Amino acid sequence: MSGEALTRAFFAEELRGLKESFAAETGAEKVIVDLMLRSGQTVRLEGEPVCAESYVAFDRKDGAHKTRTVLLYKSILGVHLSAENEKRVGFR
């Protein structure tokens, strides 16, 4: 499975460029990154990931609770990018 897994280099170097390109193409003010796991679940990548040799870690905030998620690269099937545009109501 070594050739099938995303790597440290992807999260440390390539993901930022993919997000920037996607933002430019879609006009997104913010790009949301969801990780698709081999288990069928998705996890939202928040903040800047810490990239170790065999895993990626990132912190998430849920209300007053702060949690740290650690995922092995081999557990990640893919990455989903989506655009979040600021929605304004009323006058500018």
Side-chain angles (χ1 to χ4, degrees):
M1 184 186 309
S2 61
E4 298 173 10
L6 292 174
T7 63
R8 176 183 188 166
F10 175 81
F11 285 95
E13 301 163 16
E14 294 180 47
L15 183 57
R16 178 169 290 155
L18 288 172
K19 287 171 58 176
E20 290 171 358
S21 295
F22 184 75
E25 291 170 14
T26 61
E29 295 174 16
K30 181 179 179 183
V31 176
I32 297 169
V33 179
D34 290 311
L35 304 177
M36 297 176 287
L37 305 181
R38 293 187 184 276
S39 66
Q41 297 176 312
T42 60
V43 175
R44 178 144 303 159
L45 177 66
E46 297 179 10
E48 288 299 315
V50 174
C51 304
E53 203 56 43
S54 61
Y55 65 88
V56 61
F58 52 95
D59 292 337
R60 302 179 66 208
K61 189 167 182 186
D62 182 17
H65 297 77
K66 186 174 183 179
T67 60
R68 178 159 295 156
T69 301
V70 178
L71 294 170
L72 296 175
Y73 295 122
K74 66 182 180 181
S75 70
I76 303 170
L77 183 61
V79 175
H80 179 263
L81 304 176
S82 57
E84 180 179 285
N85 291 314
E86 183 178 314
K87 294 179 175 57
R88 296 181 185 212
V89 177
F91 299 101
R92 290 188 198 216

